[in-house]
Amino acid sequence: MEWNKILSDKENKKRYTEYVNEWENKIHSFLEFDLDRQAPAQTAEQNVLESEKESATVRAAQLISGMPYAVKDNIAVKGYRLTCGSKMLKDFVSPYNATVIEKLNTVEAVPVGKCNMDEFAMGYSASSSALAATSNPRDLERSSDGCAAGVAAGIVPFALGSDTGGDVRQPASLCGIYGLKPTYGSVSRYGLVAHASSFDVIGVLSKELTIVESVFNLIKGKDEKDHTTAGYPLAGKSLSQKSVFGYLGGDIGLSEPVKQAYKNNIDILKAKGYGVKEVTFPLLEYVTPVYYTIAAAEASASLAKYNGIRYGYRSKGTDSPLELMKKTRREAFGDEVKLRILLGTYVLRSGMKEKYFIKAQKIRTKIIDEINSLFKSVDLLVLPVFPTTACKHNDAECGNRVQEKFTAIANLAGIPALSFPAGIYDNLPVGLQFLAPQYEEKLLFQAAEIIAKEIATAVPNAPGFKTIEEICTAGR
């Protein structure tokens, strides 16, 4: 599809803008949207991709060329604000591009907007955003983060998000789209505002599995600006009829719709002739406390730079630098951020570090060992993403902090995971996820393709959803 030609047409742009405005008035997924923005023209030398000899990357470049996309507002895009959903940074404009944006610029993909998010990515539903409240396009009474909502509504074909404990996969599953959390270190974090640096990774959301895979192939790889990145192996495993999927049996705390989706999708894999094996994960109950202990500690360090002195929000009417810092942080940080800073500071203080932070790191190592042990007997793991369907706005019981126990496993272990649409239950989408060993994203895409072929007819678009192609050809 020749995106540049389609979106440069005056009538097409009008139809597209009307569609965006119609949905944005209902879901508020974007903090900024600029359809007139253009990707910088590239020279022939710049257009030569690092992995040009890899056919998958060439195909990806052809598919994504000129495509509009959205960016979570904690990823730097030059000329756009970089608010992180916080009053602290609501007027801060990024002076540079993140590496992932530069890579997409090489194929002239166009970042048309910045999406609403939980403050400093501390959540999955944008409920702690200081700037807007986003609704799930499947049910406007329910919450969602901006990236998933914008993609699900058809405003953009894909979005870049960040996944610290499930922030890509959870909203993707609750909106009925795909959400990829890549292997830690496979995608550069340069230009991503840190939440918890040993967990954070930039991921991809889309309705189309081929788009998720193509964007990943374009943005992956080593970056000299991020020392945690590594060269991505070209070869990887492929799914075969001998492949074995592991799943968790017993009562793991799922609501009835999610429980039914889990069973139905495992049955699909069985019916297709793949090996399916029930596995146990004794450390599952420790995932959430370990994740929050380490993430809060890292967040307390990452957020220390927001002090009202160098940049961002600055309180007025203070008499000393100390008072300025205290008042600025009190006024500009939301309750969730303050809570995590306090928790992180506490577990790092003298006398408590060994008891909490160091112990959590030791359990994290055991979790990694247990995951690696599971992958000796299975090729992929099939897990729930979220224990319920999408929560209603301000539903405190639904939004409690046990919801990361299935998704944070991948972040603790640094392995890739892909949330995929698993069906519609009680008129709401349910997503499940595949987990694979490090650098085996290819297995995730192949497994998700199996499910997509079986449930495609069972997951129709919600009323009012259109693709950009449908919008631009309407009335012709």
Side-chain angles (χ1 to χ4, degrees), residues 387-400:
T388 68
T389 50
C391 299
K392 290 191 174 183
H393 289 292
N394 302 317
D395 185 341
E397 182 178 352
C398 182
N400 65 32

Side-chain angles (χ1 to χ4, degrees), residues 187-445:
V187 176
S188 173
R189 291 182 296 115
Y190 178 75
L192 172 66
V193 178
H195 167 188
S197 295
S198 73
F199 298 127
D200 296 339
V201 63
I202 291 176
V204 188
L205 304 92
S206 180
K207 285 184 180 180
E208 302 294 332
L209 184 60
T210 53
I211 292 179
V212 175
E213 184 174 7
S214 295
V215 173
F216 172 67
N217 283 329
L218 287 169
I219 65 175
K220 69 185 181 183
K222 187 173 178 59
D223 179 19
E224 295 301 328
K225 296 176 181 176
D226 178 3
H227 71 276
T228 65
T229 56
Y232 195 89
L234 292 181
K237 294 181 181 178
S238 291
L239 214 58
S240 72
Q241 286 301 127
K242 294 182 179 180
S243 297
V244 178
F245 293 81
Y247 73 97
L248 295 177
D251 183 3
I252 52 176
L254 305 179
S255 66
E256 196 56 41
V258 180
K259 187 186 299 182
Q260 190 61 47
Y262 198 30
K263 179 183 181 301
N264 290 347
N265 280 262
I266 290 167
D267 288 344
I268 288 173
L269 295 171
K270 288 180 181 177
K272 299 299 289 184
Y274 293 96
V276 176
K277 177 182 178 181
E278 182 175 329
V279 298
T280 59
F281 191 69
L283 293 176
L284 182 62
E285 64 180 296
Y286 296 102
V287 168
T288 299
V290 167
Y291 164 72
Y292 270 98
T293 299
I294 298 173
E298 294 183 2
S300 68
S302 298
L303 299 177
K305 57 181 170 286
Y306 303 111
N307 53 18
I309 296 174
R310 287 181 288 183
Y311 57 87
Y313 178 86
R314 176 179 291 187
S315 183
K316 298 179 180 178
T318 58
D319 298 324
S320 68
L322 179 59
E323 183 61 27
L324 170 64
M325 181 175 69
K326 289 168 62 177
K327 192 174 179 183
T328 292
R329 291 163 73 85
R330 184 168 59 246
E331 294 174 355
F333 282 146
D335 290 343
E336 184 66 25
V337 174
K338 291 174 183 174
L339 175 64
R340 298 203 196 190
I341 290 174
L342 288 170
L343 174 62
T345 304
Y346 179 78
V347 301
L348 288 175
R349 65 177 292 197
S350 177
M352 296 298 168
K353 187 173 182 179
E354 182 69 34
K355 184 177 180 181
Y356 294 109
F357 182 72
I358 300 300
K359 184 177 288 186
Q361 293 285 19
K362 291 178 179 178
I363 300 174
R364 180 183 190 177
T365 300
K366 289 184 178 294
I367 290 172
I368 294 171
D369 291 342
E370 192 164 293
I371 286 290
N372 291 336
S373 178
L374 283 176
F375 283 131
K376 292 178 181 178
S377 60
V378 300
D379 297 283
L380 288 162
L381 290 171
V382 191
L383 296 180
V385 174
F386 205 75
T388 68
T389 50
C391 299
K392 290 191 174 183
H393 289 292
N394 302 317
D395 185 341
E397 182 178 352
C398 182
N400 65 32
R401 293 187 185 83
V402 301
Q403 314 292 25
E404 286 87 357
K405 69 176 180 180
F406 299 117
T407 49
I409 293 171
N411 302 87
L412 286 164
I415 60 175
L418 175 68
S419 169
F420 60 90
I424 300 292
Y425 296 80
D426 292 345
N427 296 317
L428 289 170
V430 173
L432 301 175
Q433 62 177 333
F434 290 118
L435 282 68
Q438 287 188 332
Y439 299 107
E440 296 292 353
E441 278 82 356
K442 182 179 176 182
L443 284 177
L444 301 178
F445 301 131

